[in-house]
Amino acid sequence: MQLAQLNIYQTFAQTGLQTRQPTMSIRQHHADLRIQQEHVNLVEISTTGQRLFIDQTEAFADANLKSPLRHSLEFYSSTKQKTMQYIAKMAREGEQLKRIDRNVDAISSIAKQNYGPSHPRVNIAYMPSSMSKVAIDYKPSEVHYHVRKSEPTIQVTRREPDIDIPRWEANVYLQQKNAIAFEATGAAIDRNL
C-alpha cells in the first residue's frame, strides 16, 4: 500500500518600506552690532608763546647813551682812578724835582711830558663795537597736549538661527501576502476529512 503524501506550499508575507527624507535647512541671520565711540574733544593742545628778549643796554652804552645813574657811577669810578693817577704823577714829578741838585734839568723834562706835542688820534669805530654787546635770549614755545582715552561701547544682539527640519516619513506596506497551500498525492485520500 502506498502512503499518501501531503505537500505544503507556503509563501511568506513581504513588507515594503518607502521613506521620505526631506533636507533640513539652516539660515543664520547676521547679528545686530552697534559701536559707539566718542570722537569729540579727545585731544587738548595748548601752546605757550615764544619769547625773545633783546637787551641793548651795553650797545647803547657803547654809543654813550647811558642812564644818568650809570653816567654818575662811571664818572665816580673814573674820577677816583684819575685822582690816583694824578697823585702818582705828582709823586713822580716830585721825585724828579728832588734830583735837581745832580745836574738834571727836571723842570724842562716835566714840561715836555706834560705839554709836549700831541698827535691827534684817528679811529674808525662801529656802534656797537661788536654784536656781543647785544644780549639776545630766546625761549621757544612749548606745546602741551592731553589725549583722553575713549573706549568704544559695543552692543551685540544675537539672532538665533532659523532651523527647518521637516518630518521624515516612512510608509510600510504589504508587498506580498502570505499564503499556504496543501496538496495530497499518492493513495486515495478521504477528502472529506
Side-chain angles (χ1 to χ4, degrees), residues 46-186:
S46 63
T47 59
T48 60
Q50 310 174 47
R51 294 183 185 176
L52 177 63
F53 297 100
I54 300 175
D55 185 6
Q56 295 179 324
T57 307
E58 293 304 316
F60 285 128
D62 208 18
N64 207 21
L65 299 172
K66 302 174 189 173
S67 68
L69 182 61
R70 183 167 176 174
H71 263 299
S72 61
L73 287 174
E74 287 180 359
F75 179 74
Y76 169 74
S77 65
S78 69
T79 304
K80 186 177 177 184
Q81 184 181 2
K82 285 181 182 177
T83 303
M84 293 301 179
Q85 288 173 353
Y86 181 74
I87 292 172
K89 179 181 167 191
M90 288 295 117
R92 276 194 314 273
E93 288 177 358
E95 289 297 322
Q96 287 178 0
L97 288 174
K98 274 198 221 174
R99 289 183 278 155
I100 289 179
D101 58 349
R102 297 185 194 147
N103 294 330
V104 176
D105 192 9
I107 296 175
S108 65
S109 172
I110 291 171
K112 282 182 187 177
Q113 287 174 11
N114 291 334
Y115 305 106
S118 63
H119 302 289
R121 288 190 199 170
V122 177
N123 229 355
I124 296 176
Y126 297 98
M127 297 293 175
S129 57
S130 72
M131 279 308 292
S132 63
K133 302 273 182 166
V134 179
I136 298 174
D137 183 26
Y138 173 71
K139 185 177 180 184
S141 64
E142 295 178 357
V143 178
H144 303 282
Y145 59 90
H146 174 67
V147 180
R148 287 190 301 114
K149 190 174 181 183
S150 174
E151 293 289 337
T153 304
I154 301 173
Q155 190 176 19
V156 180
T157 305
R158 289 187 334 147
R159 299 178 102 191
E160 296 295 331
D162 291 337
I163 302 173
D164 183 25
I165 306 175
R167 286 184 60 183
W168 289 8
E169 295 177 357
N171 186 14
V172 180
Y173 60 93
L174 188 60
Q175 189 173 2
Q176 178 179 320
K177 289 184 177 182
N178 59 346
I180 190 164
F182 301 97
E183 182 186 18
T185 58

